[in-house]
Amino acid sequence: MSEDITTTSTQETVTPPAAQRSAGILQTGFGRNLGLVVALVLLCIVGAITAGDTFVTGANLLTILRLAAVIGVVSVGMTFVITGGGIDLSVGAMVALASVWATTLATQQMATDYHWIFMVSTALVVGSACGLVNGLLVAYGKVVPFIATLAMLAAARGLAEIISERRTQIITVNSFVDFFGGSLIGVPVLVWIFVLVAAAGWVLLNRTTFGRRTFAVGGNAEAARLAGIKVQRHTVALYVLAGLCCGIAAVMLMARTTTGSSTHGQLYELDAIAAVVIGGTLLSGGRGTIVGTVFGVLIFTTLNNVFTLNNLSISAQSVAKGAIIVIAVLLQQRLARRGTSS
């Protein structure tokens, strides 16, 4: 009898480690990023097969990167907010408001008389101010992030329509367009901005006290407070950072379209959240990755490009995005359960 019990216990302790190792690899940042790279490569292969030479060109690659740059900057800011346990539904509206405010006749006149930095500063200040309002409502007003940012979505979009009178504002400052619409070493300036923002975001999240506090607040706000972290102040800072990224994205979108409009940034909030979730950041907070977010943005932008080259409708793109988001969330939940059980 004792021999049977010993044999059974031995068998039970020999089998699980292999499964635990496979699950452990998938739960590491390297494993998740490797999966994203494989998904991106497979998507590129599909694009090469279905779209042929049109997809596999340097010009198309630059087009994908240029389109990914704007939403990529927004997604970097969203990564910080979600990692900190929040959510921001107002990013698209903040981009629109910043673009409209930065392209008013008064702002453009100052840019013409002095320097285009006035336009850039206006966009950054407007975006940061909107983020500050979001942060104050969430941290000190105790308003649920979903509701607070939903209110900002409506207010910012409405204010943008009032300022612009629902008209598209054309940028007449040629020096602004020439600088941000140009290229450096053959790569668009917008792409370089995205690279710099992503790199700065990675350093801030992974190599600074601010990043460690963000993980702590998102993982357990009460424990973070007991550990001496000023949770409310940090939450405000996260939303201001997201607003600042929206201001940068507004400048990039202004350069790409040479306009400021209240319709800019439509559905950016959904695209940004999707990219962040696909990248491996937990919606419940406490875990985030800038590298994963970058891959998530590239995957969605490449997917849109493949669909466009194959003359598939926007509705089909939306269905595909929805399916990918659901699959990503289900995988997150499954890996989380495995990690808990192990």
Side-chain angles (χ1 to χ4, degrees), residues 195 215 228 310:
V195 171
F215 288 120
N310 286 280

Side-chain angles (χ1 to χ4, degrees), residues 119-131:
M119 295 174 64
V120 175
S121 300
T122 300
L124 299 185
V125 169
V126 170
S128 300
C130 291

